[in-house]
Structures are given as structure tokens and as C-alpha cells.
Amino acid sequence: METGQYLVLSTAHIRCATGQLLTAWADYPPHRRPLCVAPTQYGWFLHTMTLPPEAQRCLPKELPAILALGRDNGCDYVLLDSDGPTEDLLPTFPW
């Protein structure tokens, strides 16, 4: 059996436009997504793997720090959830 860990953060750590972009990316075929993203009812799961440079250039400004925080905490994924906690190390944005 394989298990993993994920870091839960508030969607307040991303801009509304970034949320819309994540939703759009989730609808792309997997090979066209710059970031592995899966929608949930109240947010998104994001894979924390290190991305190739061309994919990194596509990311909104707030996502690299979020993904790095997940990796730094030994997590394979970050769950951005509307009810998730905020983290003082990351900026927050009004929705």
C-alpha cells in the first residue's frame, strides 16, 4: 500500500484569477497542463513536484511559494481549500 501526505492551505493564498486558471487547467488533458491540478468541491489539489522551467514560467506569482512550502514539509500535494488555514509565511488575497 502506498500512502502520501498533503498540506492543507486556504484558497485565500491565491488570487481569484489564479483559482479560475486552476479550474481551466484541470479541464485540460494531462499532457497539456503546466501543473498537475485536480478540482475539489471547495478548491484544488496541486502536485508539489518540481516543474520544468517552461512550466514554471506559466505559473501565477503566488503558486511557486505554495508548492515549495508543500515540498519543504514533505508533502506530495497541497490542498487549497476554502475552509483551509492560512499560513503567515504566505501572502493572502481578497476574493
Side-chain angles (χ1 to χ4, degrees):
M1 176 185 298
E2 185 173 333
T3 62
Q5 292 187 7
Y6 60 92
L7 175 66
V8 181
L9 294 171
S10 173
T11 54
H13 289 301
I14 62 170
R15 293 174 175 87
C16 184
T18 299
Q20 292 169 347
L21 186 60
L22 293 174
T23 297
W25 285 350
D27 286 338
Y28 290 4
H31 67 279
R32 289 197 50 228
R33 296 177 193 163
L35 173 69
C36 183
V37 57
T40 70
Q41 187 172 359
Y42 300 106
W44 304 268
F45 269 104
L46 310 175
H47 199 289
T48 61
M49 67 182 157
T50 301
L51 299 170
E54 62 273 6
Q56 290 180 21
R57 287 190 289 273
C58 296
L59 296 182
K61 289 191 286 188
E62 65 269 29
L63 287 183
I66 290 169
L67 298 175
L69 185 61
R71 281 191 304 275
D72 292 348
N73 283 280
C75 297
D76 300 316
Y77 294 90
V78 171
L79 171 58
L80 294 175
D81 188 275
S82 60
D83 292 328
T86 56
E87 170 56 54
D88 291 340
L89 296 172
L90 300 170
T92 57
F93 304 94
W95 275 62

